[in-house]
């Protein structure tokens, strides 16, 4: 009889005649107990045998978070990976970068793989976090090159929970959570109403009559905190269930969830339903069938201008609390009616946002489907043949209605509806063969495979205006249709790939990988559609050498070295084609023009990635991993300008080069462990140094003053490019700027744009954790940070610019505006021409307590008395509880170079109950 259990060595016991009891004690098998991960096509491997750089985030970090966006929980968890959530809008997604950004024009988002199938970011963000078993981040070429052209920015491999065929009975799990959201930060300190009245009267923004009127209303009705008026405490409700189990031949996991999160701003919310079914059936000894199917439906409401990053609209919901004058009151005395009324249109022409959102509602729906079906054949020992086929699809709608009852509509309304859908069909077929020429010494794994992808999308938009009744608002009830209200689109692309991998392990000392992949994509020019990518990697387990094997101090020591190439195909589907469009009309006659010049040789952006890492462990309680990487991007896509005599203005070409070099560091330690206590700490750190190494032709810089950036050889692609503020001249109150030679000038036309050694993508990021448990009580604390990150505070620019936006709120420090000769201040005189400069460039570095979780599980000794309850857990989860930063705006966690009217990030408190039967 053979006894085996995960994490323990298999033991065979001979049963003799007459035996009624066999006492067996299994011993731990360190090789089995090591974490097993899936890093690509083929079977799972232990982390210790992987030659590439991988990071694993387990379910205990991801589960039970009070946000729709599962990516938010990854912040500060993976070295070298930056995760930022730029808004508190419930439908907001996160931006993710691994080892910096490797492209200027193409995509920089990692590839998401869910249960073996490449999937869209929409599917990744729609996953119920409690369905996830773990996430594995693949960071180097040895781990990612098997995915070819889609893996240039790294890979995030998601494994969802499965049922066990060894389960003796089904396990049911029910949970519910209630939480609230509040603004995470508000460092805007506006003048109070009385001070603002004095300030505006002094500078002539209001008359003496207006001053008296507003002061009287302020005395009568009191001041309003406009920030709190807009951003109010908002509830979140979550309910979930799951059942998992199996029998001798079938394993299953089925789950469902409902989440309803109100936003802090008016008409801002998201409601989502998810369902998942994972089945695995062992049909016979050589055939296994797997089905992974997930569906999600959501409805989302979004505030107008909630996450705008350009232009200024003071009446948008998110700008309202920044610019609304603090002496304005919610109410006023109407002399005609003799009653106290609420303002809808304020005297400064700003409209109440609640009224705006009520009269101009907008919402959208997403219907997502993600699933795959696989057949696994094992006809002979060591041979595995797998065919996996899947679909990733989304059908979405968006509706905007302007009701005719809006007092500014002139009695007529409007209605616009947008529909879009896409699907990606994918198929992969692999043959894997494992064999051991000499048992426990030589292990060889051979893998060959093919993959095909077929993508199609289409969209349609229609709208009308002229509706005269709020109840009759459909498009057909309008009287006018403009061509700008009607649109249609469709797009498609295909990809065909062939790949192979060889893995060789010698004992537990050495491991070598060789990967090849050829991709062909319809996105590229007809003469340059194929690309070959490769990777080679090696791992040396130095600890297994005789001179260290018995060392009890050094419990682990590994060296990994990899080099490989990758491609980036994240460009538009028709970038290589010569395109013709309409719209160049002559009178009433429709005209055509060349929308794109095309390039038959347009090809892949390529990357070469070198990694070397050293891992060591001490006393079985401390583990450290340090990695150096060198990521070189070449043939980067860019619209290269052409002289007018050529007949074209520009053409997309493979022209630029860039490099990202850096260091990753992972530290984990078990501080204390016994039968009751377990205390561990961990930290991750990432440093990235980005530089452009080549532009097109002999060009050494490409200034982009409108976006305050420049592409310059030897500088970061994300460096700021703007005038340098040199202070205010005490003699006349004028702002002074660097003329490019270190000399101050006051004429804004003479201010030089200068490339700065400051960038909006932070070169340093990471996090650190504390996990502690005592009997049934558990505490988990997660911090995240971004260092040397810079951000242009556009809200400050408009708040301080008296010549652009008069009669609005002003910051408290604007009392120090220059008023008389000799005054020393950094705020120019009233009416001075405003200029975006380093005066508004702020250090947005931050340290944030990202998540704090406290839970308690009732003891089993108590639950056994019920006869059917297996687990009861109470939990409290707090998100974005504390932030340390010098940034003076709402929140520094914003992934862009400039910010206006941000929807503040959220601080959340969630209380939960989980029952297991």
């Amino acid at each position: 009889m053979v006894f085996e259990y995960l994490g323990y060595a298999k033991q065979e016991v001979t049963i003799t005649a007459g035996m009624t009891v066999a006492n067996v004690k299994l011993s731990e098998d360190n090789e089995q107990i090591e974490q097993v991960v899936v890093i690509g096509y083929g079977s799972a491997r232990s982390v210790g045998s992987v030659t590439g750089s991988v990071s694993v985030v387990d379910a205990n970090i991801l589960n039970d978070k009070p946000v729709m966006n599962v990516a938010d929980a990854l912040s500060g968890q993976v070295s070298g990976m930056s995760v930022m959530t730029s808004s508190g809008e419930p439908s907001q997604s996160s931006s993710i970068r691994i080892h910096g950004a490797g492209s200027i024009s193409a995509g920089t988002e990692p590839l998401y793989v869910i249960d073996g199938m490449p999937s869209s970011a929409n599917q990744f963000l729609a996953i119920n976090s409690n369905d996830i078993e773990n996430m594995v981040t693949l960071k180097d070429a040895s781990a990612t090159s098997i995915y070819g052209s889609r893996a240039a920015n790294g890979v995030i491999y998601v494994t969802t929970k499965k049922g066990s065929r060894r389960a003796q009975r089904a396990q049911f799990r029910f949970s519910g959570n209630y939480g609230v959201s509040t603004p995470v930060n508000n460092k805007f300190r506006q003048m109070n109403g009385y001070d603002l009245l004095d300030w505006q009267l002094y500078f002539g923004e209001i008359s003496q009559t207006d001053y008296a009127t507003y002061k009287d209303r302020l005395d009568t009705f009191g001041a309003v905190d406009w920030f709190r008026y807009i951003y109010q405490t908002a509830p979140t409700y979550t309910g979930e269930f799951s059942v998992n189990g199996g029998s001798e031949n079938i394993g299953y996991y089925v789950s469902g969830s409902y989440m309803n999160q109100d936003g802090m701003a008016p008409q801002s919310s998201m409601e989502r339903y998810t369902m998942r079914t994972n089945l695995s059936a062992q049909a016979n000894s050589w055939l296994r069938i797997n089905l992974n199917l997930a569906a999600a439906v959501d409805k989302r409401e979004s505030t107008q201008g909630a996450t705008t990053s350009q232009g200024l609209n003071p009446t948008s919901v998110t700008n309202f609390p920044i610019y609304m004058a603090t002496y304005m009151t919610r109410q006023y005395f109407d002399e005609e009616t003799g009653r106290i009324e609420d303002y809808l249109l304020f005297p400064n022409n700003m409209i109440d946002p609640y009224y705006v959102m009520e009269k101009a509602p907008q919402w959208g729906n997403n219907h997502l489907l993600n699933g795959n079906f696989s057949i696994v054949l094992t006809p002979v020992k060591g041979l595995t043949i797998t065919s996996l086929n899947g679909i990733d699809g989304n059908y979405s709608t968006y509706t905007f209605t302007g009701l005719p009852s809006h007092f500014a509509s002139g009695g007529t309304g409007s209605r616009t509806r947008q529909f879009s859908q896409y699907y990606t069909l994918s198929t992969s077929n692999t043959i894997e063969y494992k064999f051991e020429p000499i048992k426990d010494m030589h292990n060889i794994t051979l893998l060959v495979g093919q993959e095909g992808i077929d993508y199609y999308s289409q969209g349609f938009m229609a709208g009308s205006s002229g509706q005269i009744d709020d109840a009759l608002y459909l498009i057909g009830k309008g009287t006018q249709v403009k061509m700008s209200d009607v649109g249609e689109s469709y797009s498609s692309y295909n990809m065909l790939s062939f790949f192979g991998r060889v893995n060789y392990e010698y004992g537990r000392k050495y491991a070598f990988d060789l990967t090849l992949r050829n991709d062909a994509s319809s996105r590229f020019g007809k003469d340059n559609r194929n690309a070959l990518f490769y990777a080679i990697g090696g791992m040396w387990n130095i600890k297994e050498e005789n001179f260290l094997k018995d060392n009890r101090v050094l419990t682990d020591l590994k060296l990994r070295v990899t080099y490989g190439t990758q491609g980036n195909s994240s460009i538009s589907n028709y970038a290589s084609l010569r395109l013709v469009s309409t719209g160049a009309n002559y009178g009433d006659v429709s005209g055509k023009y060349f929308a794109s010049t095309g390039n038959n040789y347009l090809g892949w952006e390529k990357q070469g990635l070198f990694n070397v890492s050293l891992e060591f462990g001490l006393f079985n309680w401390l583990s450290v991993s340090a990695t150096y990487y060198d990521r070189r991007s070449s043939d980067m896509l860019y619209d290269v300008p052409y002289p007018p005599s050529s007949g074209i203005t520009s053409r997309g070409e493979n022209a630029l080069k860039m490099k990202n070099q850096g260091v990753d560091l992972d530290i984990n330690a078990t501080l204390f462990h016994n039968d009751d206590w377990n205390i561990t700490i961990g930290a991750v750190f990432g440093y990235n140094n980005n530089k452009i190494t080549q532009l097109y032709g002999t060009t050494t810089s490409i200034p982009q003053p409108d976006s305050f950036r420049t592409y310059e050889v030897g500088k970061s692609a994300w460096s700021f490019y703007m005038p340098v503020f040199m202070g205010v001249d005490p003699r006349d109150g004028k702002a002074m700027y660097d003329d490019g030679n270190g000399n101050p000038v006051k004429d804004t036309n003479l201010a030089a744009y200068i490339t700065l050694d400051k960038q909006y993508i932070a070169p340093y990021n990471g996090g650190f954790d504390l996990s502690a448990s005592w009997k049934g009580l558990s505490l988990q604390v997660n911090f995240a940070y971004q260092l040397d990150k810079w951000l242009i505070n556009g809200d400050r620019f408009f708040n301080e610019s008296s010549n652009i936006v008069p009669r609005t709120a002003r910051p408290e420090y604007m009392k120090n505006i220059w008023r008389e000769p000799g005054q020393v201040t950094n705020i120019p005189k009233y009416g001075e021409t405003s200029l975006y400069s380093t005066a508004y460039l702020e250090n947005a570095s931050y340290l944030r307590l990202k998540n704090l979780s406290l839970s308690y599980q009732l003891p089993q000794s108590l639950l056994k008395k019920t006869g059917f309850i297996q687990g009861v857990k109470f939990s409290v989860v707090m998100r974005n509880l504390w932030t340390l930063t010098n940034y003076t705006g709402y929140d520094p966690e914003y992934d862009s170079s400039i910010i206006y009217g941000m929807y503040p990030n959220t601080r959340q408190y969630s209380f939960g109950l989980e029952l297991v039967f």
Side-chain angles (χ1 to χ4, degrees):
M1 180 176 290
V2 176
F3 296 85
E4 58 180 327
Y5 192 77
L6 183 65
Y8 292 84
K10 182 170 62 177
Q11 190 172 144
E12 187 173 321
V13 176
T14 302
I15 304 298
T16 59
M19 286 184 63
T20 58
V21 178
N23 294 316
V24 179
K25 183 177 181 180
L26 301 181
S27 58
E28 286 189 0
D29 186 329
N30 291 329
E31 185 172 3
Q32 286 192 42
I33 209 168
E34 187 173 19
Q35 191 164 27
V36 174
V37 295
V38 179
I39 63 169
Y41 309 89
S43 54
R45 296 164 60 185
S46 65
V47 172
S49 68
V50 175
T51 63
S53 177
V54 302
S55 295
V56 183
V57 179
D58 291 321
N60 63 316
I61 297 293
L62 303 169
N63 293 174
D64 299 322
K65 296 301 183 285
V67 288
M68 299 279 185
N69 172 18
V70 67
D72 185 76
L74 293 173
S75 181
Q77 296 299 313
V78 178
S79 61
M81 184 167 80
S82 169
V83 180
M84 298 184 68
T85 305
S86 298
S87 167
E89 185 103 38
S91 59
Q92 177 70 31
S93 59
S94 296
S95 59
I96 300 178
R97 296 189 189 91
I98 299 174
H99 288 169
S103 179
I104 290 175
S105 302
T108 60
E109 194 171 40
L111 170 67
Y112 302 103
V113 180
I114 303 174
D115 289 328
M117 191 183 78
S119 304
S120 66
N122 287 337
Q123 300 289 355
F124 173 70
L125 296 172
I127 295 178
N128 173 19
S129 63
N130 287 329
D131 285 341
I132 298 174
E133 186 68 36
N134 62 46
M135 284 191 195
V136 180
T137 303
L138 314 180
K139 298 187 285 185
D140 78 337
S142 178
T144 61
S145 283
I146 193 71
Y147 291 103
S149 62
R150 294 165 299 162
N153 302 305
V155 178
I156 295 179
Y157 194 107
V158 180
T159 300
T160 60
K161 295 177 179 177
K162 307 293 191 296
S164 172
R165 298 200 305 272
R166 296 178 180 177
Q168 297 180 355
R169 53 170 289 183
Q171 185 182 76
F172 296 85
R173 174 183 170 273
F174 298 89
S175 67
N177 295 77
Y178 172 77
V180 294
S181 302
T182 61
V184 70
N185 195 29
N186 179 20
K187 286 195 171 184
F188 277 107
R189 296 293 180 264
Q190 308 286 37
M191 294 184 202
N192 65 46
Y194 295 103
D195 289 345
L196 182 62
L197 281 171
D198 292 339
W199 193 93
Q200 290 188 355
L201 180 64
Y202 180 87
F203 289 109
E205 288 191 357
I206 58 175
S207 65
Q208 188 67 52
T209 301
D210 287 339
Y211 177 90
T213 300
Y214 290 135
K215 186 176 183 301
D216 180 64
R217 290 175 184 169
L218 192 59
D219 291 338
T220 303
F221 298 105
V224 178
D225 186 330
W226 294 112
F227 181 85
R228 293 189 177 184
Y229 177 69
I230 298 298
Y231 299 114
Q232 301 183 4
T233 300
T236 299
Y237 309 91
T238 304
E240 300 179 8
F241 81 91
S242 67
V243 54
N244 70 88
S247 59
E248 182 179 355
N249 296 317
I250 296 179
Y252 57 86
Y253 174 85
V254 179
S255 73
S257 74
Y258 169 76
M259 190 172 190
N260 189 336
Q261 183 177 353
D262 283 349
M264 300 176 296
Q267 300 296 318
S268 165
S269 67
M270 185 170 175
E271 186 177 22
R272 186 182 71 188
Y273 300 84
T274 70
M275 289 290 295
R276 174 171 292 277
T277 299
N278 292 341
L279 300 175
S280 178
Q282 191 72 41
N284 54 43
S285 61
W286 51 269
L287 174 62
R288 187 173 77 250
I289 301 172
N290 302 307
L291 174 67
N292 302 298
L293 186 63
V297 178
D298 69 55
K299 177 181 178 181
R300 56 188 71 190
E301 295 178 302
S302 177
T303 57
Q304 293 173 306
T307 56
T308 183
S309 60
Q310 59 183 2
L312 174 67
N313 177 11
T315 63
S316 73
V317 172
T318 52
N319 277 320
F320 188 89
I322 300 175
Y323 302 103
M324 183 59 170
T326 51
Y327 54 74
M328 289 292 177
T329 58
R330 277 282 299 118
Q331 297 176 313
Y332 69 100
F333 181 76
D334 190 326
E335 296 182 354
E336 292 184 5
T337 64
R339 294 196 301 261
I340 295 176
E341 303 284 356
D342 289 338
Y343 276 119
L344 296 180
L345 177 64
F346 292 90
N348 60 352
N349 292 322
M350 297 186 78
I351 306 174
D352 188 295
Y354 288 91
Y355 180 82
V356 171
M357 298 307 294
E358 177 189 347
K359 298 299 182 179
Q362 53 184 318
W363 67 88
N365 295 91
N366 280 319
H367 305 77
L368 297 110
L369 177 67
N370 180 273
N372 63 71
F373 173 80
S374 64
I375 298 175
V376 183
L377 304 175
T378 53
V380 297
K381 182 180 179 181
L383 180 63
T384 303
I385 303 172
T386 303
S387 178
L388 184 146
N389 300 273
I391 183 171
D392 173 347
N394 181 24
Y395 173 77
S396 63
T397 66
Y398 175 82
T399 303
F400 173 82
T401 303
L403 297 178
S405 59
H406 192 302
F407 64 77
S409 69
T412 61
S414 62
R415 173 87 162 182
T416 301
R417 299 207 68 190
Q418 297 175 349
F419 300 84
S420 64
Q421 65 178 24
Y422 74 81
Y423 65 77
T424 303
L425 302 177
S426 64
T427 179
S428 65
N429 302 282
T430 61
I431 301 174
E432 182 182 63
Y433 183 55
K434 294 183 176 183
F435 61 100
E436 297 178 275
I438 301 178
K439 188 174 176 58
D440 296 330
M441 287 297 295
H442 302 278
N443 294 279
I444 300 175
T445 303
L446 306 176
L447 174 76
V448 293
Q450 169 272 335
E451 184 175 45
I453 292 176
D454 183 14
Y455 171 88
Y456 177 80
S457 70
Q458 64 177 349
F460 179 77
M461 177 183 74
S464 70
S465 60
Q467 288 84 345
I468 58 173
D469 191 320
D470 283 3
L472 301 173
Y473 53 75
L474 299 181
I475 293 175
K477 304 303 180 183
T479 58
Q480 295 180 348
V481 176
K482 295 185 297 184
M483 288 307 300
S484 59
D485 295 330
V486 179
E488 184 179 9
S489 66
Y490 68 88
S491 181
S492 65
Y493 79 89
N494 306 96
M495 182 178 288
L496 179 63
S497 308
F498 298 91
F499 53 87
R501 181 173 63 209
V502 178
N503 171 248
Y504 169 71
E505 295 180 41
Y506 177 75
R508 298 190 64 201
K509 291 183 183 180
Y510 313 106
F512 301 95
D513 279 338
L514 174 64
T515 302
L516 292 173
R517 178 166 176 137
N518 184 84
D519 284 338
S521 173
S522 64
R523 286 175 167 173
F524 297 102
K526 65 179 183 179
D527 297 321
N528 200 12
R529 283 182 174 164
N530 284 272
L532 180 67
F533 306 101
Y534 69 90
I536 185 170
M539 186 276 295
W540 179 21
N541 190 350
I542 309 172
K543 172 60 181 174
E544 289 298 310
E545 298 290 351
N546 291 332
F547 59 85
L548 280 178
K549 199 166 188 177
D550 297 325
N551 189 306
R552 296 185 178 181
V553 176
L554 191 65
T555 52
D556 183 31
L557 183 61
K558 293 186 181 75
L559 177 67
R560 307 177 198 266
V561 181
T562 66
Y563 178 78
T565 59
Q566 303 164 316
N568 192 338
S569 62
S570 299
I571 65 172
S572 63
N573 293 335
Y574 305 116
S576 66
L577 300 180
R578 176 173 291 186
L579 303 177
V580 175
S581 185
T582 60
N585 300 340
Y586 183 78
D588 295 330
V589 180
S590 178
K592 294 186 293 185
Y593 66 96
F594 283 112
S596 173
T597 57
N599 183 352
N600 289 340
Y601 293 94
L602 188 71
W604 313 76
E605 290 194 355
K606 299 181 179 66
Q607 292 186 11
L609 181 57
F610 171 77
N611 274 61
V612 57
S613 63
L614 182 67
E615 303 172 15
F616 66 88
L618 299 175
F619 300 105
N620 277 324
W621 69 270
L622 174 68
S623 64
V624 179
S625 173
T627 301
Y628 167 79
Y629 63 87
D630 190 332
R631 179 186 182 190
R632 305 282 175 125
S633 301
S634 60
D635 292 337
M636 290 198 304
L637 304 178
Y638 194 78
D639 280 331
V640 177
Y642 273 66
S645 58
S646 66
I648 60 175
T649 56
S650 65
R651 188 174 79 155
E653 296 184 3
N654 299 102
L656 278 57
K657 293 183 179 180
M658 184 169 65
K659 67 179 180 180
N660 286 276
Q661 296 170 308
V663 175
D664 295 346
L665 185 64
D666 295 77
I667 303 174
N668 292 283
T670 301
L671 301 183
F672 188 77
H673 177 74
N674 61 21
D675 291 341
D676 293 330
W677 281 94
N678 186 50
I679 304 175
T680 62
I681 58 173
V684 298
F685 168 81
Y687 166 70
N688 177 266
N689 181 26
N690 172 275
K691 278 187 173 60
I692 292 177
T693 56
Q694 177 183 301
L695 299 175
Y696 57 84
T698 59
T699 304
T700 58
S701 66
I702 307 175
Q704 301 183 61
D706 290 342
S707 60
F708 312 109
R709 288 168 52 193
T710 182
Y711 299 137
E712 184 174 331
V713 173
K715 297 288 188 179
S716 169
W718 325 117
S719 295
F720 284 98
Y721 178 70
M722 61 194 315
V724 175
F725 178 68
M726 298 185 72
V728 173
D729 189 336
R731 294 169 297 181
D732 57 13
K734 286 184 171 293
M736 299 182 293
Y737 304 96
D738 193 328
D739 68 350
N741 297 308
N743 304 312
V745 293
K746 300 175 184 178
D747 185 344
T748 56
N749 295 313
L750 300 178
Y753 278 74
I754 298 173
T755 304
L756 308 175
D757 289 326
K758 297 174 180 178
Q759 51 188 307
Y760 79 86
I761 296 181
Y764 305 93
N765 67 79
F768 49 92
D769 306 330
L770 167 68
S771 180
S773 63
W774 176 73
K775 296 185 177 181
L777 191 63
S778 298
L779 172 69
Q780 189 176 88
V781 184
N782 311 120
F783 287 85
Y785 61 83
Q786 300 260 343
L787 303 179
D788 202 18
K789 175 184 182 299
W790 295 81
L791 180 62
I792 299 174
N793 192 335
D795 292 317
R796 263 191 57 211
F797 173 81
F798 285 108
N799 251 184
E800 295 179 17
S801 300
S802 54
N803 66 312
I804 297 179
V805 189
R807 298 188 65 182
T808 64
R810 301 293 179 189
E812 180 74 20
Y813 58 79
M814 284 291 285
K815 293 178 181 178
N816 296 322
I817 190 172
W818 188 92
R819 298 173 189 248
E820 58 186 9
Q823 180 182 352
V824 178
T825 180
N826 62 349
I827 303 175
K829 68 179 181 179
Y830 187 88
E832 179 75 355
T833 300
S834 300
L835 180 67
Y836 267 113
S837 69
T838 56
Y840 307 102
L841 182 62
E842 298 189 22
N843 189 333
S845 303
Y846 64 87
L847 169 64
R848 169 159 284 170
L849 177 51
K850 195 65 183 179
N851 289 290
L852 188 152
S853 305
L854 182 65
S855 64
Y856 177 70
Q857 292 187 342
L858 294 182
Q860 287 296 315
S861 58
L862 179 63
L863 298 178
K864 285 181 179 179
K865 296 178 182 180
T866 66
F868 67 98
I869 300 179
Q870 297 181 17
V872 177
K873 183 174 76 172
F874 303 92
S875 62
V876 179
V877 180
M878 290 166 277
R879 174 180 173 268
N880 291 345
L881 191 61
W882 172 80
T883 304
L884 177 65
T885 183
N886 288 326
Y887 180 66
T888 62
Y890 280 160
D891 191 58
E893 190 178 343
Y894 190 78
D895 190 26
S896 185
S897 58
I898 187 169
I899 183 172
Y900 304 91
M902 174 187 178
Y903 189 122
N905 230 313
T906 54
R907 179 182 292 119
Q908 292 175 278
Y909 306 86
S910 178
F911 308 89
L913 171 64
E914 177 184 277
L915 302 175
V916 180
F917 302 95

